[in-house]
Amino acid sequence: MVKQASSSPSSSPVTITVSSGGKGGPIRSMGLTSPVPRSSVSNNPNSPLSGRGNRGSSGGRRTSAGGRYDEEVVNSEYVTYTVHIPPTPDHNNVSASQTSLNEDDKNFGKPERSFISGTIFTGGFNSVTRGHVMECSMERKETMKSGMQCGMKGCDEKAMQGKSSSGPCECGFKICRECYLDCIGNVGGHCPGCKEPYKDVSDDDGSSYDDACSEAEDQALPLPSMADFKPDKRLSLVKSFKAPNQDFDHSRWLYETKGTYGYGNAVWPKDEYGFGSGVNGFEHPPDFGGKTRRPLTRKVGVSAAILSPYRLLVVIRLVALGFFLTWRIRNPNREAMWLWGMSITCELWFALSWLLDQLPKLCPVNRVTDLSVLKDRFESPNLRNPKGRSDLPGMDVFVSTADPEKEPPLVTANTILSILAVDYPVEKVACYLSDDGGSLLTFEALAETASFARTWVPFCRKHGIEPRNPEAYFGQKRDFLKNKVRLDFVRERRRVKREYDEFKVRINSLPESIRRRSDAYNAHEELRAKKKQMEMGGNLSEPIKVPKATWMADGSHWPGTWSSAETDHSRGDHAGIIQAMLAPPNAEPVFGAEADGENLIDSTEVDTRLPMLVYVSREKRPGYDHNKKAGAMNALVRTSAIMSNGPFILNLDCDHYIYNSLALREGMCFMLDRGGDRICYVQFPQRFEGIDPNDRYANHNTVFFDVSMRALDGLQGPMYVGTGCIFRRTALYGFSPPRATEHHGWFGRRKMKLFLRKPKVVKKEEEEMALPIIDHNDDDADIESLLLPKRFGNSNSLAASIPVAEFQGRLLQDLQGKGHHGRPAGSLAVPREPLDAATVAEAISVISSFYEDKTEWGKRVGWIYGSVTEDVVTGYRMHNRGWRSIYCVTKRDAFRGTAPINLTDRLHQVLRWATGSVEIFFSRNNALFASRRMKFLQRVAYFNVGMYPFTSLFLIVYCFLPAVSLFTGQFIVQTLNVTFLVFLLMITLTLCFLAILEIKWSGINLHEWWRNEQFWLIGGTSAHPAAVMQGLLKVIAGVDISFTLTSKSATPDDGDDEFADLYVVKWSFLMVPPITIMMVNMIAIAVGVSRTMYSTFPQWSKLVGGVFFSLWVLCHLYPFAKGLMGRRGKVPTIVFVWSGLISIIVSLLWVYISPPSGRQDYMKFQFP
């Protein structure tokens, strides 16, 4: 395993330094160096980080002044060896893949699979970091033409540039000088692309145009010197003082952007560059400052005609509740004090619960974005960005999956495809898939996805496909030809649809293919073992134990989980794996080729680059707490910080795909607008597909997402709900915002502003973690940097990436006020650094099972551990530091996912949420201990999150009270007098009016509101009491809580019922309380009616009160009862059980009720 360094020039050595924990001890840390050093800091000269020296990776490596790594090993415990990666025709060595930017620009028209994307990296605790070159059989060579080459067939000359940056014709067809002259002479001056005549063709066959083009290509247009310039009286001179000391070629910028000389001109063309139709063909100069001052977002308040009556009704209902409860306490039922006591206790708790739920809803807001301003500000040419490259910050997208059986690989593949085709700068997007199960099925499915993406992504970009999930797009029932004008759309759609069907077949056949392949290799290994036993002269009768391994397609062992669950290859015990399926793209666009036998679509005018795609499976070892999904997300945070380091992170579940390709731009409008540096995350609402039309179990959850979350947006921001959220990376790192507000006094009415990101901070709180402004002469910054390893681990590359991410996530300088720090415009329009083997090996080290030991990961940094609802706790911690969040509701849904429509699955999902809330209530994350940086109403909302499961205890009692009243002949009040009825009517009417107004300002409908009320009682009598019991057991007895992963529904086959899972009856202990409540209330109604009818002195008022509340309970439980009945038209076993029970009960009641001795006039009805 250990080899000496080879002197062969053809090899590409990668030197690995391994540090052992002692003689014979396990390997604890490792470092890896590369022949070409990789710097983790920005290569932008405008960045304040460019002055610092390059940092190395972890493992005790040091750097010399010249930037080369010191080869001397100081400690004798360090061992140096070399891993040789053999070069092949398809896989060049490391040094060949790490070419300079100039070489990339020359060869970007020849896309080849890079060394990194063809190598799988593994490693972890007590194992060696290895790079295994893989043979990929699904690659195919593609011939593409770059955007600077001639578009004529058989011509590879450089395209000429004319009056438009795209070529001599307005259609943008690229053509070189020789082909252009041929077209003028032979084709009659018509463009080969659009078949239209060239507008600039004159009688001299384009000689003037050719001379102008050649002259422009030879040299830039210099500005005349001021000494030789003789100003005209009509022209004014304005000297530029924007950047007097910077070396900037203004003449080249004018030529490349086709600009003019500014306000010194007497006249200004319309639209900045062309000729207008105003007075004498010209208009007034445009207002350049207006682009900067225009906001990216606007807050739209709810109409006062709706909001004012809404708030007034809240006050009226609160007053009515106060008077009602006062009257109830002062007028007890002397005949049944125990019944009165239970009812008044429940009613007091319900009033408190309603108040906690209603107070945060008093300030709802709506927000809108302006994507045109975003494009003008960050993707238009300017002084610092002459070519108009995208100045948007990078975005890392996280997708998490854990079990390919419950989360089908095809669902995950469609989510990945929607991410790769998102409308965001390709070079700024990086997608990471976390496979917490380490499954080869997920790995090979992702490889197939990367292959199909080369066809799907250009098709989406060319024709503007929405949604960009192929399963959702091809499965929609609307007219797919709407708004399509390209003649080749139908033909190319048919081809892509067939390719996608074949892709689905390949994905579905992967499990069987992996099994057959593994069986064949294992049988071969057994034969080899027997042959070796015979050669050694062993006893043939002894059985040979050969591990049942899982094999990859290239004939090597899969380093992750095996189906046989052997040692080092089980779900909780396997090595860490990183595989770059798609390498980082080039900075310049790469255009494809015409449709032929290998290319399904004509992509000559489409950018065919794909974002970086990385497969990550963190290391798992026995004896370590891996913290479920939160631990997997933190591993992705560290991996992405080293490989791409996007300042913003989008978190998605494997079944939530991007439904709106502009969703990322919508979210970035809030992050990059004025005041956006205080925003920690932008939460999008969750929308679901595949739900039955009646939404029997309130799966859409619109009352929460459209009412509660909109209302929280008017306070300090919505909660984090686990998916569909764009994070600021520095906020996830646990840093405080640059500015915060403390709320003092009653209800936080007195405010105190804090500036937390100053170079000198006089006073800090005990747990304050502020990110200082980078200053090379500041001692405090050096002290903060020394504390980073304690907080983030011993990876120097990870520590060096933190200030880079902070700088890239800043606002532009012109948006910052006086005294604030921003980044210069155009500072992010630089190409990304190439990805090398040393970087991937460093990423392997940060996903090891022991990396988080003695660090603050999960405690303050990243996703917070200790709760099954880590999402709510993570968002709470950010709000508690003073950050604020934004709720982004787009016109077209941003993301869509699936939800469990089966009753049992839905109850278990609610059980997990409620259990996490109970954990929050009994932890330090309870809002009672929140800091003064959290607003009062925001604190009330978070306190209600931990309180709502306890309402179930009172709800169960209250659901049994009507039945008890009917059984005993008593009621919660002594008599149904007018006062009680008036109060009851007022409380009910105000609740109905509040619901109507909520429907008006939130946009939901009455059916959704009623379904939410029904499932509130269903969940409150089934899942919530169980959650309270589990939470109490964990707090008192220390019993750990385990939850079942929610199954993601796969796409139904043709002919199958889309909602078949809705009718499946799966028995669960959670169903016992609701069934008991229904049975008891139905029996009580029968008993109460019979007793009253045959009573000598019937008390109809008490009967009416008991029956009314029993029917109220049964109406809310109707969806639950319908779910127990199974499919319509079929009679499940439970129906026969119910029938038998009801028959027995009715018989007993008939025996119990004695017939009347005489005829009574019992049909008279009157109130006492």
Side-chain angles (χ1 to χ4, degrees), residues 531-586:
K531 183 178 180 181
K532 185 176 181 180
Q533 185 183 26
M534 293 176 60
E535 293 176 353
M536 298 293 294
N539 187 4
L540 297 179
S541 61
E542 294 181 358
I544 301 175
K545 185 178 180 181
V546 178
K548 301 294 183 180
T550 300
W551 296 77
M552 293 192 292
D554 61 348
S556 58
H557 280 177
W558 168 242
T561 301
W562 292 356
S563 58
S564 58
E566 301 287 342
T567 305
D568 293 335
H569 294 282
S570 61
R571 283 188 176 274
D573 184 13
H574 61 81
I577 308 170
I578 293 180
Q579 167 70 53
M581 296 290 182
L582 295 173
N586 296 321

Side-chain angles (χ1 to χ4, degrees), residues 982-1135:
V982 169
F983 278 131
L984 188 63
L985 181 64
M986 183 179 297
I987 293 173
T988 305
L989 288 179
T990 52
L991 178 63
C992 295
F993 288 141
L994 283 174
I996 292 173
L997 291 177
E998 282 185 1
I999 290 171
K1000 293 289 289 184
W1001 63 255
S1002 64
I1004 64 175
N1005 54 53
L1006 185 61
H1007 178 266
E1008 293 171 336
W1009 180 86
W1010 173 239
R1011 286 301 189 201
N1012 180 80
E1013 291 294 312
Q1014 288 179 313
F1015 196 79
W1016 170 76
L1017 194 141
I1018 295 173
T1021 56
S1022 58
H1024 295 175
V1028 173
M1029 297 302 297
Q1030 288 186 358
L1032 292 176
L1033 287 176
K1034 181 179 181 180
V1035 173
I1036 298 174
V1039 179
D1040 194 14
I1041 300 173
S1042 60
F1043 66 93
T1044 305
L1045 185 67
T1046 304
S1047 299
K1048 309 299 189 296
S1049 58
T1051 304
D1053 298 332
D1054 295 338
D1056 293 347
D1057 188 357
E1058 183 180 359
F1059 311 115
D1061 202 30
L1062 179 68
Y1063 310 109
V1064 178
V1065 180
K1066 305 175 185 177
W1067 177 255
S1068 172
F1069 73 96
L1070 299 177
M1071 298 179 178
V1072 174
I1075 290 177
T1076 305
I1077 291 174
M1078 286 191 301
M1079 296 295 297
V1080 170
N1081 276 275
M1082 287 190 296
I1083 296 173
I1085 291 175
V1087 170
V1089 171
S1090 301
R1091 173 179 294 165
T1092 305
M1093 290 178 62
Y1094 293 104
S1095 175
T1096 307
F1097 301 100
Q1099 298 182 357
W1100 291 100
S1101 59
K1102 294 182 180 180
L1103 174 66
V1104 170
V1107 170
F1108 173 79
F1109 285 106
S1110 290
L1111 291 177
W1112 177 85
V1113 173
L1114 294 175
C1115 287
H1116 280 75
L1117 291 176
Y1118 172 73
F1120 178 83
K1122 195 173 182 180
L1124 293 178
M1125 301 302 292
R1127 183 183 294 272
R1128 183 182 305 173
K1130 294 185 178 180
V1131 182
T1133 307
I1134 192 69
V1135 174

Side-chain angles (χ1 to χ4, degrees), residues 30 32 46 57 79 121 362 387 429 539 570 584 677 900 966 970 1005 1007:
M30 61 190 65
L32 189 148
N46 296 324
S57 60
V79 183
F121 291 83
L362 296 178
K387 293 186 178 181
V429 179
N539 187 4
S570 61
D677 53 347
L966 291 173
Q970 301 294 332
N1005 54 53
H1007 178 266

